[in-house]
Amino acid sequence: MSNRRSRQSSSAPRISDDQMIDLVTKLRQILPEIGQRRRSDKVSASKVLQETCNYIRNLNREVDNLSERLSQLLESVDEDSPEAAVIRSLLM
Amino acid sequence: MHHFVPDFDTDDDYVNTNNNNSSLNHLPRKSITTMGEDDDDLMELLWQNGQVVVQNQRLHNNNTKKPSSSSFPTKLLQPPIPPSMDNHQQQQQPSSDQNLFIQEDEMTSWLHYPLRDDDFCSDLLFSAAPTPPCATSHVVTAVRPPVPVPSSSNESRPPVRNFMNFSRLRGDFSNGRGESGPKTIVRESTQVSPSATPSSAAASESGLTRRTDGTDSSAGLNRKGKAVAMTAPAIEITGTSSSVVSKSEIEPEKTNFDDKKRKEREATTEEAECRSEETKQARGSTTSTKRSRAAEVHNLSERKRRDRINERMKALQELIPRCNKSDKASMLDEAIEYMKSLQLQIQVMSMGCGMMPMMYPGMQQYMPHMAMRMGMNQPLPPPSFMPFPNMLAAQRPLPTQTQMGGSTPQYPVHASDPSRVFVPNQQYDPTSGQPQYPGYMDPYQQFRGLHPTQPPQFQNQATSYPSSSRVSSTKESDDQGNHKTG
């Protein structure tokens, strides 16, 4: 399997279909929306990939928002307090 | 009413240099739109005798820049002709027709101008070297304001050529609607663009054209697919394909970094298809030709699908940090892990955000409670997936190195440092007995192999999903050092 991967890879479109199916299935399990709503055989790989990209972007945005909120919280908290330490740890 | 405001700023030079009508120079920029009946300020672009005549009853008091720019062609065509102002007053009668004409969508009305007379364009193109590009750019920008005029002026020849083709095409439909216009423009512009782009191979041009014809609906243009990519290069190259650009705007990023590769691929594939199709037809046998054509169609669609997938994979690869994998499968694996880690991180942080304000009172009792709950019942209450102990445990700056056996630290993973378990001092004491604490320190540890709803495990398993093993491991994980193996 790994040999096949290494041979086929390097941006060549000859990836094994089974591999794609497995990975797409895995991705669909994670994606909160389309992967779980639709029937399994209906979703195309490109759609799944697109959903993945969008989802990652959303997650990144969420992380940024949360970081901002946490930093704001940090400002409201006394320095050297345990809470501040906790918040700092969360932010890192 | 000005329906669109093209940026005629660059016209100023030309206006000043070429316009012998000084009064026009003072006209500020305004839309080319000519709803004559509405506004006193509006100019009317009339097509009179094969020339664009700016009928401006109020020209003198008016400050429309558009008349000036639109009067360029008039001046170009008939240099001796007095400023368009004079013509305006003279030609009032056809104004009614022109008004009707003009009242259409701006694009159509604008497009109609070159319809009547090819000479108009040719004169435009060749009469005055600096002006035609400007005029064309104006004209084009009138249709598509966002197109940067300087860019069009930079490449004087291709936009001019494009305009020429525009005129030829528009001659087909005398009363073409605005909606059909863009489509035709698109189709034709792709035909034009090959001529404009010296780099395109002939086969690729034909392929481009064919492909565009195959997807010749505006919807097809809007697709995130070949059509946009096909037209986008043409647009970028010519720089003044108006309507097409407006549609390709939808897919800016895609076209930018994908269209080049796609174009090359398309060029090669289209060449092969042309040749293969020709050979098949040369055989003369209908059935085999049909079959081969069907196979070709299938190949085409398959290739399209593949290209789409590759494009998405590239986008995904760009999103994932520190992804140096060229292998698709491993890249997807990384994407999955990254997504899980992001989910975890968000959960932790959101919980921290929510809990932070409440941390001041009764924190001590809170956290042990959470920890115990974490330890005892595997199905955690959903909101407190990452309990407080995780935050406490992470008080120290967490090293990014992980003790995970096989997996490389690609994300800012908090290493499950056994010593870290006890670093959180007083808060930890009541819960030090909890074996799960060490696991909580590493929010990213879980994404390695855990289902998001599973409790965090300090014991890191690279891709082990089953929870049972983890449960057992946590129970016996008093000495965290041994359980760092992946």
Side-chain angles (χ1 to χ4, degrees):
Chain A
M1 182 84 158
S2 61
N3 294 341
R4 187 166 31 150
R5 278 191 202 177
S6 55
R7 264 203 309 258
Q8 289 183 343
S9 65
S10 73
S11 79
R14 291 186 305 275
I15 192 172
S16 155
D17 284 341
D18 295 335
Q19 284 177 354
M20 284 300 287
I21 292 173
D22 288 341
L23 294 166
V24 165
T25 312
K26 270 199 270 182
L27 279 177
R28 285 221 311 271
Q29 287 164 357
I30 300 174
L31 291 181
E33 357 173 316
I34 193 166
Q36 298 166 1
R37 258 191 280 138
R38 285 228 215 136
R39 282 170 43 204
S40 58
D41 55 347
K42 284 289 194 188
V43 188
S44 74
S46 67
K47 182 88 169 117
V48 169
L49 285 175
Q50 184 185 359
E51 293 294 327
T52 306
C53 287
N54 294 338
Y55 189 56
I56 289 183
R57 287 196 200 104
N58 288 338
L59 289 182
N60 280 330
R61 209 173 339 130
E62 286 269 341
V63 168
D64 291 339
N65 290 342
L66 285 175
S67 303
E68 195 171 326
R69 277 170 57 190
L70 277 179
S71 50
Q72 285 171 0
L73 266 181
L74 186 61
E75 291 164 8
S76 68
V77 170
D78 303 332
E79 291 290 326
D80 302 331
S81 74
E83 296 85 357
V86 170
I87 295 178
R88 272 189 226 105
S89 68
L90 279 177
L91 283 174
M92 276 191 247
Chain B
M1 152 177 21
H2 307 177
H3 293 261
F4 56 94
V5 183
D7 45 348
F8 291 101
D9 295 332
T10 57
D11 294 346
D12 279 334
D13 306 332
Y14 298 101
V15 175
N16 294 329
T17 56
N18 299 321
N19 194 349
N20 51 4
N21 185 6
S22 60
S23 62
L24 288 180
N25 296 340
H26 309 314
L27 304 178
R29 307 201 172 281
K30 227 187 221 190
S31 76
I32 202 176
T33 316
T34 65
M35 295 297 169
E37 73 283 0
D38 294 346
D39 212 336
D40 291 341
D41 296 339
L42 284 178
M43 306 297 301
E44 293 177 0
L45 281 177
L46 307 177
W47 192 268
Q48 297 288 339
N49 302 329
Q51 311 160 12
V52 171
V53 172
V54 179
Q55 175 160 3
N56 182 15
Q57 296 87 352
R58 287 82 60 174
L59 178 55
H60 299 279
N61 14 337
N62 189 357
N63 303 335
T64 58
K65 181 53 150 274
K66 211 38 212 147
S68 63
S69 51
S70 57
S71 62
F72 277 150
T74 317
K75 297 197 167 34
L76 291 171
L77 285 171
Q78 302 170 1
I81 285 188
S84 50
M85 292 190 283
D86 300 347
N87 294 337
H88 307 325
Q89 285 91 27
Q90 295 167 9
Q91 292 134 3
Q92 288 287 342
Q93 298 82 7
S95 64
S96 58
D97 303 334
Q98 300 296 337
N99 286 347
L100 282 176
F101 198 52
I102 289 161
Q103 284 165 21
E104 293 174 356
D105 174 58
E106 288 79 19
M107 182 113 70
T108 33
S109 62
W110 192 90
L111 287 175
H112 288 295
Y113 296 142
L115 262 179
R116 308 305 174 80
D117 200 348
D118 271 346
D119 298 340
F120 168 63
C121 313
S122 50
D123 286 352
L124 248 189
L125 296 178
F126 306 119
S127 62
T131 45
C134 304
T136 59
S137 65
H138 303 328
V139 170
V140 178
T141 50
V143 179
R144 216 204 63 68
V147 171
V149 175
S151 71
S152 63
S153 59
N154 291 341
E155 25 186 354
S156 56
R157 276 306 138 200
V160 165
R161 255 177 273 151
N162 228 9
F163 190 55
M164 283 277 298
N165 286 302
F166 268 121
S167 66
R168 283 197 219 106
L169 300 173
R170 295 293 79 74
D172 299 339
F173 53 98
S174 54
N175 55 346
R177 305 305 310 174
E179 293 70 30
S180 61
K183 286 189 230 168
T184 326
I185 293 173
V186 172
R187 192 182 294 117
E188 299 301 345
S189 64
T190 54
Q191 287 171 358
V192 174
S193 59
S195 64
T197 45
S199 60
S200 309
S204 66
E205 292 163 12
S206 60
L208 280 171
T209 311
R210 202 183 313 127
R211 183 64 61 83
T212 322
D213 289 341
T215 63
D216 68 346
S217 66
S218 53
L221 285 175
N222 291 336
R223 272 187 329 164
K224 283 184 185 185
K226 302 304 173 186
V228 176
M230 299 299 238
T231 56
I235 295 160
E236 292 166 1
I237 291 162
T238 60
T240 55
S241 303
S242 53
S243 57
V244 182
V245 183
S246 64
K247 295 212 189 317
S248 69
E249 268 184 349
I250 301 173
E251 314 281 351
E253 62 260 16
K254 278 201 188 308
T255 60
N256 285 340
F257 63 80
D258 281 336
D259 61 355
K260 305 275 189 324
K261 298 183 187 160
R262 201 181 294 115
K263 226 179 31 154
E264 295 164 3
R265 270 204 302 264
E266 291 302 337
T268 54
T269 58
E270 290 306 324
E271 291 177 15
E273 288 169 13
C274 301
R275 282 188 239 108
S276 58
E277 287 183 9
E278 288 161 3
T279 56
K280 287 186 182 105
Q281 286 162 9
R283 279 191 237 125
S285 137
T286 54
T287 49
S288 65
T289 315
K290 274 187 225 164
R291 242 181 277 126
S292 55
R293 258 189 242 137
E296 285 295 332
V297 167
H298 181 265
N299 286 349
L300 260 178
S301 58
E302 182 65 26
R303 206 172 297 125
K304 272 191 229 174
R305 173 179 162 272
R306 283 285 181 205
D307 288 343
R308 244 199 326 263
I309 290 180
N310 288 344
E311 158 191 338
R312 303 269 161 80
M313 294 280 293
K314 281 194 207 97
L316 185 60
Q317 189 174 18
E318 289 172 8
L319 276 177
I320 299 178
R322 290 185 289 276
C323 179
N324 51 358
K325 300 277 192 298
S326 58
D327 184 9
K328 278 191 193 178
S330 58
M331 207 200 79
L332 285 179
D333 282 334
E334 286 207 20
I336 293 170
E337 292 180 2
Y338 180 59
M339 272 170 48
K340 286 190 193 153
S341 74
L342 277 184
Q343 283 173 345
L344 277 174
Q345 186 180 10
I346 287 177
Q347 249 169 335
V348 169
M349 292 173 79
S350 60
M351 200 182 62
C353 269
M355 301 292 244
M356 281 327 282
M358 307 192 302
M359 272 191 69
Y360 302 91
M363 188 165 52
Q364 307 268 345
Q365 307 89 348
Y366 211 37
M367 292 177 312
H369 173 62
M370 303 270 296
M372 289 186 61
R373 269 198 306 156
M374 279 287 294
M376 292 318 168
N377 38 342
Q378 291 309 318
L380 280 175
S384 61
F385 160 49
M386 293 290 288
F388 263 7
N390 193 5
M391 298 192 297
L392 295 181
Q395 278 186 15
R396 279 195 338 189
L398 302 167
T400 55
Q401 50 91 20
T402 75
Q403 285 80 6
M404 305 186 192
S407 50
T408 57
Q410 287 152 359
Y411 316 113
V413 176
H414 306 293
S416 58
D417 197 349
S419 58
R420 250 193 289 135
V421 178
F422 309 106
V423 165
N425 31 28
Q426 58 272 20
Q427 292 96 356
Y428 250 115
D429 289 343
T431 60
S432 56
Q434 298 296 329
Q436 294 80 9
Y437 261 96
Y440 302 155
M441 285 189 296
D442 190 346
Y444 297 104
Q445 219 176 3
Q446 308 172 37
F447 75 80
R448 294 294 165 176
L450 296 185
H451 191 78
T453 62
Q454 290 301 326
Q457 302 291 330
F458 72 90
Q459 174 166 355
N460 161 41
Q461 289 127 6
T463 54
S464 66
Y465 285 100
S467 57
S468 56
S469 61
R470 267 181 272 113
V471 172
S472 55
S473 58
T474 39
K475 294 288 193 302
E476 61 199 351
S477 66
D478 264 343
D479 54 349
Q480 301 86 12
N482 296 348
H483 295 275
K484 295 301 183 292
T485 61

